[in-house]
Amino acid sequence: MIIVLQKDATENHLREIVNRIKDYNLEPHVIVGVARTVIGLVGDKNGLEPSFFEGLPGVEKAVPIMAPYKLASRDAKGEDTIIQIGKVAIGGDQLVYMAGPCAVESREQILETAYAVRAAGASILRGGAFKPRTSPYSFQGLGEEGLEYLAEAGEVAGMLTVSEVINPSDVELVSRYVDILQIGARNMQNFSLLRQVGHMRKPVLLKRGLSATIEEWLMAAEYIMSEGNYQVILCERGIRTFETATRNTLDVGAIALARRLSHLPVIADPSHATGRCELVGPAGCAAVAAGAQGLMVEVHPNPDVALSDGAQSLTPRQFAQMVEAVGRVAEAVAPQATDRWPERNVI
Ligand code: PEP
Ligand code: MN
């Protein structure tokens, strides 16, 4: 159940309502929106009726949420969540680009990439330091040294940073260096990792699992939010299908559906979705046309010698061309309000 507060509800009202929720042995999650504050109730709600709360001062309504994910649900919060980090807003009207190499390989490599992708329009620098490689013999990343280079490059290029964390015990460490914590596809259902990043007060980029349903993906977001971290960015990065000509299959419909089912920002990663540099631009255009509010793209100064994912990495020049093409698509489809595409029963 969620409780929607009146627009003019006061701090005192909020406190009283929270106390009442605790009296029922439930955990209140206060989510402050631009237009309204809502409180999500987590715990055993057996026998609890909306009417228990509807009479309280400051309460507009109490609504049961049918979806298994509660805090992530669009029913809990009608307005889009915008995650503001410094000057960058993720989930707003402006497309956000997160770009950089699959893995940080050296100080020079990440610095060169940072300047190039920044010039092309990216505001967030990506780079893996702890790599979840399929083979134990492949390059595993530079670890903390990689995070140091990433942080320095972000700083000098004036960009935010994002990097993957694969171990619950590394969450604190990675948090010290980056602005956004990335949970990779292979770890989408690593529940202790999800809970650990849920304890942080730092935005989390949550990739969809290789074979995860949309509901499982949103339940993974719920794990993070249930620990009190509401700053979750959903990232569609392709799913595993029978097709082998592409690395994965970009699930464009999932982007449009996630925008409907959840208030959280949704972005796409056309690099891992396709695995082929010549498909990254077209897939990025399709993702944005479907409602993606940003793109994560792998860019390497010299993809031929990349230590990981060279085949799908764009050169800085290709990335700049892609940003231009995607920008034209974004202009053509804006605004992406879901009410442009009503469900049949509301036409
Ligand atoms: C990555 O972003 O480098 C990565 C490993 O992505 P994914 O978890 O989507 O495979
Ligand atoms: Mn990669």
Side-chain angles (χ1 to χ4, degrees):
M1 192 183 309
I2 55 133
I3 298 174
V4 181
L5 301 200
Q6 288 166 349
K7 278 203 172 105
D8 55 1
T10 64
E11 283 292 320
N12 271 343
H13 290 150
L14 178 62
R15 216 173 3 254
E16 285 299 315
I17 300 161
V18 163
N19 286 339
R20 178 68 67 94
I21 294 168
K22 288 180 177 162
D23 287 345
Y24 290 113
N25 278 329
L26 294 167
E27 205 183 305
H29 287 263
V30 180
I31 305 178
V32 182
V34 179
R36 252 166 227 284
T37 294
V38 299
I39 312 174
L41 275 54
V42 173
D44 180 9
K45 291 176 288 295
N46 234 342
L48 202 71
E49 298 289 336
S51 59
F52 293 6
F53 299 99
E54 279 181 336
L56 297 178
V59 173
E60 183 173 299
K61 58 182 175 182
V63 202
I65 306 231
M66 296 310 165
Y69 42 88
K70 311 289 178 193
L71 303 171
S73 161
R74 179 69 81 175
D75 294 337
K77 185 164 175 269
E79 64 187 274
D80 287 351
T81 285
I82 298 177
I83 298 179
Q84 187 80 42
I85 319 172
K87 290 194 186 122
V88 180
I90 304 167
D93 296 337
Q94 288 288 313
L95 269 183
V96 173
Y97 289 93
M98 308 181 182
C102 179
V104 178
E105 297 169 6
S106 69
R107 183 168 177 267
E108 294 67 36
Q109 174 239 24
I110 193 71
L111 277 167
E112 183 182 347
T113 314
Y115 286 122
V117 295
R118 178 86 190 106
S123 51
I124 304 173
L125 181 65
R126 66 147 286 150
F130 295 99
K131 296 302 303 174
R133 303 306 299 279
T134 303
S135 164
Y137 308 118
S138 301
F139 177 57
Q140 304 284 309
L142 295 180
E144 187 168 1
E145 187 187 352
L147 292 173
E148 280 167 13
Y149 298 151
L150 178 71
E152 182 193 349
E155 172 107 32
V156 297
M159 303 177 78
L160 301 174
T161 54
V162 55
S163 196
E164 180 168 355
V165 55
I166 55 182
N167 267 317
S169 57
D170 287 335
V171 169
E172 291 267 358
L173 171 82
V174 180
S175 292
R176 284 205 293 277
Y177 290 97
V178 301
D179 299 294
I180 303 171
L181 294 164
Q182 178 173 326
I183 299 293
R186 289 156 195 79
N187 274 311
M188 192 208 80
Q189 284 189 317
N190 180 340
F191 299 116
S192 48
L193 183 61
L194 298 177
R195 284 200 191 279
Q196 197 61 37
V197 296
H199 293 156
M200 309 309 288
R201 293 297 169 262
K202 200 162 263 254
V204 176
L205 176 81
L206 177 65
K207 296 252 194 136
R208 182 178 177 190
L210 301 156
S211 300
T213 64
I214 294 168
E215 188 170 298
E216 286 164 343
W217 185 25
L218 294 173
M219 289 306 280
E222 192 76 10
Y223 259 90
I224 300 168
M225 298 174 86
S226 71
E227 296 296 337
N229 187 351
Y230 309 123
Q231 298 189 291
V232 180
I233 304 153
L234 299 167
C235 179
E236 158 60 35
R237 47 77 74 204
I239 50 171
R240 190 160 279 191
T241 67
F242 56 84
E243 183 55 74
T244 53
T246 51
R247 181 175 179 180
N248 291 291
T249 297
L250 177 66
D251 190 355
V252 178
I255 297 168
L257 186 55
R259 288 288 315 271
R260 269 174 192 277
L261 296 176
S262 177
H263 53 87
L264 296 171
V266 179
I267 71 157
D269 169 353
S271 306
H272 292 87
T274 60
R276 299 167 63 141
C277 62
E278 72 276 23
L279 304 182
V280 173
C285 287
V288 166
Q293 294 156 304
L295 294 176
M296 172 174 261
V297 182
E298 285 188 340
V299 180
H300 194 287
N302 187 357
D304 290 342
V305 299
L307 296 181
S308 63
D309 288 350
Q312 68 195 30
S313 297
L314 301 186
T315 62
R317 196 178 134 82
Q318 287 171 327
F319 175 64
Q321 287 165 346
M322 173 186 178
V323 169
E324 215 181 288
V326 171
R328 284 198 297 275
V329 172
E331 222 165 273
V333 297
Q336 266 298 345
T338 47
D339 55 13
R340 243 181 87 175
W341 309 107
E343 288 171 27
R344 189 183 305 287
N345 61 3
V346 291
I347 287 178

